[in-house]
Amino acid sequence: PTIYAITPTYSRPVQKAELTRLANTFRQVAQLHWILVEDAAARSELVSRFLARAGLPSTHLHVPTPRRYKRPGLPRATEQRNAGLAWLRQRHQHQRAQPGVLFFADDDNTYSLELFQEMRTTRKVSVWPVGLVGGRRYERPLVENGKVVGWYTGWRADRPFAIDMAGFAVSLQVILSNPKAVFKRHGSQPGMQESDFLKQITTVEELEPKANNCTKVLVWHTRTEKVNLANEPKYHLDTVKIEV
Ligand code: UGA
Ligand code: MN
């Protein structure tokens, strides 16, 4: 099956560095289609040029987050992930679904190549541990007799699916047979996006544990430090224009 990776991304000083790191990983994965969704009113020159040279099958989308939703404490990238879902559904509406697996790949996380081998065998919805998240070294689904029976987490253990966006994959078939499943703004509390989405397409009992019964960390919720631009000149001083 093809792996579809939906990546929301937005303009900031580290954007090209993040995308470079991500592309260097994805380029080593067979049959991966990258759906890059810019949080912007238009596709940017920087991302367009970058993708053209990335050497990966890709689709370049954009949708701006409404200003009222750009606030600390509110979920990020809701509209961008939904745009990726809409594109996938549109592309597959006429033919019987080709085998495919979808996952949500934020642009700042760290992905091992083994992770892609694991998720490729997803039948409906698969799950695995995520490192460096939830105020712990890792969070993970607790597995008994091959079934998920609970969650090891330090944060909001009341979540129906106590899992980060980086901790699951969904088969294309499930996405197509649940055409209304989307990420929601209304009534979605912080940290509940994953649960609110997964509730629409699966149950805890149905989840397929990967990564040796969820005992191996193959993805890390890394976050990039804010860059220090204290010495950036107020006006363009360099003799040429440099894209960073
Ligand atoms: C955590 C989760 O890991 C995310 O999946 C979740 O979207 C996020 O919380 C949330 O608060 O909604 P965190 O590291 O805090 O992640 O979030 P970011 O990595 O800053 O953002 C998640 C993704 O959305 C990234 O790919 C980022 O490039 C993108 N993003 C972020 C936008 O497209 N627009 C923004 O304004 C901010
Ligand atoms: Mn992040």
Side-chain angles (χ1 to χ4, degrees):
T2 301
I3 293 176
Y4 294 93
I6 295 184
T7 302
T9 188
Y10 69 113
S11 175
R12 63 224 195 263
V14 299
Q15 183 179 32
K16 197 172 175 186
E18 304 282 29
L19 296 179
T20 298
R21 204 150 38 91
L22 201 49
N24 288 349
T25 301
F26 287 171
R27 212 176 290 114
Q28 303 179 70
V29 180
Q31 283 188 71
L32 184 139
H33 187 112
W34 195 10
I35 305 170
L36 196 51
V37 192
E38 286 194 70
D39 180 353
R43 286 180 284 214
S44 66
E45 289 279 319
L46 184 147
V47 174
S48 304
R49 270 197 293 265
F50 174 82
L51 265 187
R53 310 195 64 193
L56 276 162
S58 63
T59 299
H60 185 183
L61 308 174
H62 70 90
V63 56
T65 302
R67 269 252 304 278
R68 64 186 177 283
Y69 296 137
K70 287 251 186 198
R71 287 220 317 262
L74 293 185
R76 293 169 239 228
T78 303
E79 291 74 20
Q80 290 72 32
R81 294 192 186 100
N82 285 341
L85 287 169
W87 179 87
L88 261 184
R89 287 171 172 139
Q90 168 81 29
R91 173 182 163 111
H92 294 279
Q93 66 179 344
H94 292 311
Q95 73 231 56
R96 254 191 57 213
Q98 306 286 108
V101 174
L102 159 69
F103 96 117
F104 296 102
D106 289 354
D107 61 4
D108 56 344
N109 294 337
T110 305
Y111 306 91
S112 74
L113 298 182
E114 247 187 289
L115 179 70
F116 301 93
Q117 300 177 6
E118 292 288 319
M119 74 169 78
R120 214 184 282 274
T121 58
T122 301
R123 290 163 62 181
K124 287 181 171 171
V125 180
S126 63
V127 293
W128 53 77
V130 177
L132 315 180
V133 76
R136 290 199 176 173
R137 290 168 62 233
Y138 61 89
E139 286 182 338
R140 73 178 192 98
L142 297 169
V143 178
E144 269 173 30
N145 303 319
K147 298 273 176 210
V148 175
V149 296
W151 309 93
Y152 173 85
T153 176
W155 185 71
R156 291 210 63 169
D158 59 324
R159 289 175 289 163
F161 298 80
I163 198 169
D164 184 78
M165 205 62 79
F168 65 91
V170 183
S171 81
L172 179 58
Q173 190 56 66
V174 166
I175 294 299
L176 298 179
S177 54
N178 294 275
K180 292 196 171 130
V182 291
F183 290 92
K184 300 207 161 104
R185 282 278 176 198
H186 292 282
S188 202
Q189 298 170 33
M192 295 302 257
Q193 285 206 104
E194 295 86 349
S195 284
D196 289 340
F197 180 72
L198 288 167
K199 269 196 303 204
Q200 300 171 64
I201 57 171
T202 189
T203 60
V204 173
E205 297 73 52
E206 205 174 45
L207 297 174
E208 300 149 44
K210 299 294 184 190
N212 192 23
N213 282 320
C214 299
T215 60
K216 282 159 77 177
V217 174
L218 302 176
V219 56
W220 295 265
H221 182 253
T222 44
R223 300 181 81 189
T224 302
E225 179 181 29
K226 199 167 185 317
V227 248
N228 175 3
L229 297 178
N231 298 328
E232 186 70 5
K234 300 244 176 350
Y235 308 98
H236 189 73
L237 282 182
D238 203 351
T239 50
V240 290
K241 191 163 181 277
I242 304 282
E243 184 186 275
V244 186

